[in-house]
């Protein structure tokens, strides 16, 4: 069941990217290297991926929405597991776990059609699958 529109997903992407990059300083875990860098790097990847995706928030539109959403799920799994994978769970884990779960949800519950593929299906008389 995909109830998140591409347009809303774009807003969520840019917000979550900025939140993840700022989180170590806002939430006070900038001194925990693994926690800081996993949040900052995933945040930066989300922003870059968003800019490159073929959706309402994309600038270059070279990544398909389907690829973007798959990468969201993978980034979310990594982010949610990072406190234990990178061994900083005793200092901080909740921001990574929460944002990771939200990222997985965004990947699973957003429309998979790219912004421009929808029109191609209609041009050929094929109804887009959901």
């Amino acid at each position: 069941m995909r109830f998140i529109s591409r347009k809303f997903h774009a807003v969520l992407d840019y917000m979550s990217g900025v939140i993840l990059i700022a989180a170590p300083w806002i939430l006070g875990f900038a001194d925990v290297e693994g926690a800081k860098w996993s949040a900052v790097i995933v945040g930066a990847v989300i922003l870059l991926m968003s800019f490159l995706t073929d959706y309402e928030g994309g600038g270059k539109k070279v990544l398909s929405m389907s690829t973007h959403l798959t990468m969201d799920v993978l980034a979310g799994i990594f982010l949610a597991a990072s406190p234990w994978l990178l061994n900083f769970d005793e200092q901080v884990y909740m921001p990574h776990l929460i944002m990771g779960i939200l990222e997985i949800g965004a990947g699973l519950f957003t429309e998979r059609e790219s912004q421009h593929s929808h029109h191609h299906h209609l041009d050929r008389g094929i109804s887009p699958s959901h």
Side-chain angles (χ1 to χ4, degrees):
M1 189 171 142
R2 301 188 179 276
F3 53 85
I4 301 172
S5 71
R6 284 190 316 267
K7 193 177 282 190
F8 186 63
H9 187 101
V11 173
L12 291 176
D13 277 338
Y14 287 103
M15 280 177 26
S16 61
V18 169
I19 288 167
L20 281 167
I21 291 168
W25 293 274
I26 294 170
L27 300 175
F29 61 85
D31 57 331
V32 182
E33 290 295 308
K36 173 176 71 180
W37 289 112
S38 57
V40 169
I41 290 167
V42 171
V45 166
I46 290 171
L47 292 178
L48 178 65
M49 204 168 60
S50 301
F51 180 74
L52 295 175
T53 298
D54 183 13
Y55 72 158
E56 287 76 356
K60 282 276 182 219
K61 302 187 190 301
V62 291
L63 263 186
S64 74
M65 194 65 200
S66 178
T67 299
H68 175 115
L69 295 174
T70 300
M71 290 172 73
D72 276 347
V73 172
L74 295 174
I77 291 168
F78 169 76
L79 192 61
S82 65
W84 295 273
L85 288 174
L86 304 175
N87 206 24
F88 59 81
D89 59 290
E90 292 188 13
Q91 290 93 351
V92 59
Y93 69 90
M94 202 55 87
H96 299 74
L97 184 60
I98 291 169
M99 290 299 287
I101 290 168
L102 292 173
E103 185 73 6
I104 293 165
L108 294 176
F109 299 119
T110 299
E111 305 171 355
R112 290 191 78 81
E113 289 280 325
S114 291
Q115 185 177 6
H116 295 97
S117 69
H118 189 75
H119 303 296
H120 299 302
H121 288 305
L122 295 176
D123 292 344
R124 287 184 261 135
I126 302 166
S127 63
S129 58
H130 287 289

